[in-house]
Amino acid sequence: LSLYMPEHHPAIKAISLLAPALLYKNKSTSCAWILLPWKKHIPFSGEMPGITPENLAYLHAGYGMSSVPGVIQMTKLQRIVKKDLASVNCPLIIFQSKADGLVDPKTEDYVLNHVSSTQKKGLMFGTSSHVMSLDSDRERIFKETIAFFQSTQG
């Protein structure tokens, strides 16, 4: 969704992406439509050791699983976004983690190689989970995002 916005709203000045769900590690999500008659939800898997117990409570409150119709719609959105990535030309910073249990770390390179932005930056982390804004690298991510946005003002 974060990449869809600058594709269709050129007035957006800059974007920060945290583990954008463009390329999943588990490729079976593209076949979710087969599950629709029998299953309503798909549970998330993966460890999130860097998230504090307090932040883990927030995560579990609404992020334990995804609806099958939601997965189907996300797969459609991924195709649309991939097709139009070249239209993204605003400054962009992307944060990705090798430890993300949902999103393939190759997403960072994929995005950086397909957008038209001239000012773009990728930062790869080694231990953060998919929910990077709640994980152990969150403070660095916040500082890097603020510094990047400040560098784009001019």
Side-chain angles (χ1 to χ4, degrees):
L1 183 57
S2 296
L3 282 164
Y4 180 87
M5 296 304 291
E7 287 177 349
H8 299 277
H9 301 281
I12 291 175
K13 302 287 185 204
I15 59 171
S16 175
L17 305 167
L18 279 67
L22 199 57
L23 304 173
Y24 286 135
K25 281 185 174 177
N26 183 348
K27 307 304 181 204
S28 65
T29 54
S30 62
C31 300
W33 60 272
I34 296 169
L35 299 173
L36 197 53
W38 299 282
K39 220 169 155 94
K40 292 183 180 182
H41 296 93
I42 299 172
F44 291 134
S45 61
E47 296 292 319
M48 299 191 185
I51 297 181
T52 64
E54 176 187 12
N55 286 339
L56 204 53
Y58 291 121
L59 183 66
H60 288 304
Y63 205 63
M65 63 181 69
S66 186
S67 73
V68 173
V71 172
I72 293 168
Q73 291 303 312
M74 185 62 167
T75 302
K76 290 178 184 177
L77 180 60
Q78 287 169 329
R79 281 194 296 267
I80 291 167
V81 168
K82 284 180 193 175
K83 180 177 66 74
D84 294 336
L85 271 179
S87 65
V88 176
N89 55 26
C90 65
L92 175 149
I93 187 168
I94 181 171
F95 301 92
Q96 200 71 51
S97 177
K98 294 175 185 172
D100 189 328
L102 297 173
V103 176
D104 192 322
K106 295 176 187 172
T107 302
E108 178 190 353
D109 285 337
Y110 185 88
V111 170
L112 293 173
N113 289 325
H114 287 84
V115 296
S116 298
S117 306
T118 56
Q119 189 176 358
K120 52 191 173 184
K121 180 178 182 179
L123 287 159
M124 182 65 69
F125 292 88
T127 59
S128 284
S129 66
H130 178 63
V131 188
M132 298 178 84
S133 59
L134 295 178
D135 216 318
S136 57
D137 294 309
R138 67 185 172 276
E139 292 301 324
R140 179 168 175 220
I141 291 168
F142 300 155
K143 288 176 184 173
E144 291 281 352
T145 299
I146 291 167
F148 183 79
F149 284 164
Q150 288 173 338
S151 75
T152 66
Q153 295 176 355

